[in-house]
Amino acid sequence: MLYIWLYPLHTEFSFLNVFRYLSFRIIYAAVTAFLIAFVLAPWLIQKLQELRLGQQVRDDGPSTHLTKSGTPTMGGILILFAVVLSTLLWADVTNRYVWMVVVAILGFGLVGFLDDYLKFIRGRSKGLSASQKLVTQVLIALGIGLLLYFLPAFSSKLNVPFFKNFTPDLGLFYIPFAIVVIVGSSNAVNLTDGLDGLAVGPVMIASLAYTIVAYVAGHRIISDYLLIPHIEGAGELAVFTAAVFGASLGFLWFNTYPASVFMGDVGSLPLGAALGTVAVISKHELLLLLVGGVFVIEAISVIFQVASFKSRGKRIFLMAPIHHHFEMKGWEEPKVVVRLWIIAILLALLSLSTLKLR
Ligand code: 57M
């Protein structure tokens, strides 16, 4: 909104001309979101404690987790508030992609909130059933996929990292493909959110990587130079991803070991969906497998563990997701978290290199 309200005044006050620069708005979207999360978190943590919204910790997990019982959860509400407010302040609110990602993050946030609400407020320990969660996620992702597919400028061609001339056209199949990307990333982040800072760290790293990807995709000259699809208006998505980065950084201050607050499904589900939606709109869907490699590793560890246990009656890992496997091997929690952050950073750097290696 600041862009719409203040930039036109630059003829009177020349310094307001700065609002026309996307790079300026990206940086201050991140700073604003950080400050909102950082300043409001103590108040929210106190409120969650007063409302007794403490995490019930399962007793079949690593014993080190039992001390976490009662830690306030649903802190993701603050992340969503910081992201949406900062985006609406700093992005061009006439940009349709901005509204698509805001609807996506709020829609999945509502699914997560309902799950947490049933679990922690209504005392229904399982929350929403897996099928209820999946159906609502698919419906929201379907809405996004249809909106995108029927946009005149949208292409259903798939952009494959490293191969500039191999762009298979998925046609109508792009819609179910987009659903898999968005719902898959949402649930992968949810599975990853099992140690202090373990989900929010890679979300920060991935949102920073997609800030660069969206900026480049929306820049006609740079996208042409790199031979990547130019998506007119995609640059405004970088304001959104920068807000996700800033809000996650602010939340990390309180979620780092030993965590004072957990984000809850109300945080993990929308954050994953936001990354998936940005990946689809910016036409860097497969790149998310690399940028979000830690989430992929975590999800695959569960799939393999469950498949092995069901087919052979044996586990591959001491416990899935894989972060618990390392805990069971004796790694301290901060060691598991920071080492997975290191892998996330390396994967993000490799991902960005694919923009040039084509
Ligand atoms: C999401 N939730 C955490 C917190 C967070 C199929 C199976 C793999 C499902 C999986 C599962 O239940 N996943 C749900 C992970 C939970 O965190 C809460 O959930 C929110 C995210 N959705 O915001 O509110 C626990 O994680 C810990 N935590 C932290 N710090 C954080 O910042 O320490 C979370 C955030 C919290 C806290 O202890 O209570 C979770 O782990 O449930 N199941 C599992 O992950 C379980 N694995 C398992 O059963 N493996 C089996 C089979 C099914 C694969 C096996 O290996 O044989 C593990 N999780 C738990 N106990 N809690 C192990 C057993």
Side-chain angles (χ1 to χ4, degrees), residues 242-253:
V244 172
F245 171 78
S248 301
L249 195 63
F251 181 76
L252 178 61
W253 187 279

Side-chain angles (χ1 to χ4, degrees), residues 316-330:
I316 300 171
F317 305 98
L318 295 175
M319 185 175 285
I322 197 167
H323 56 259
H324 288 314
H325 173 78
F326 295 126
E327 279 193 299
M328 306 295 271
K329 285 182 73 71

Side-chain angles (χ1 to χ4, degrees), residues 55-62 65-66 68 72-74 115-116 119-120 133 189-199 251 255 259 261-266 268-269 301-302 305-306 309 315 317-321 323-324 333:
Q55 182 72 49
Q56 290 108 3
V57 175
R58 287 166 45 178
D59 55 12
D60 59 345
H65 283 238
L66 295 175
K68 296 168 180 276
T73 187
M74 294 181 74
D115 190 41
D116 288 337
K119 270 188 285 197
F120 303 116
K133 234 192 270 193
V189 173
N190 183 43
L191 282 173
T192 305
D193 193 26
L195 296 181
D196 295 352
L198 180 59
F251 181 76
N255 182 238
V261 63
F262 298 153
M263 67 171 73
D265 285 25
V266 68
S268 56
L269 292 179
S301 71
V302 171
Q305 179 88 327
V306 172
F309 195 72
R315 287 183 166 83
F317 305 98
L318 295 175
M319 185 175 285
H323 56 259
H324 288 314
E333 180 169 349

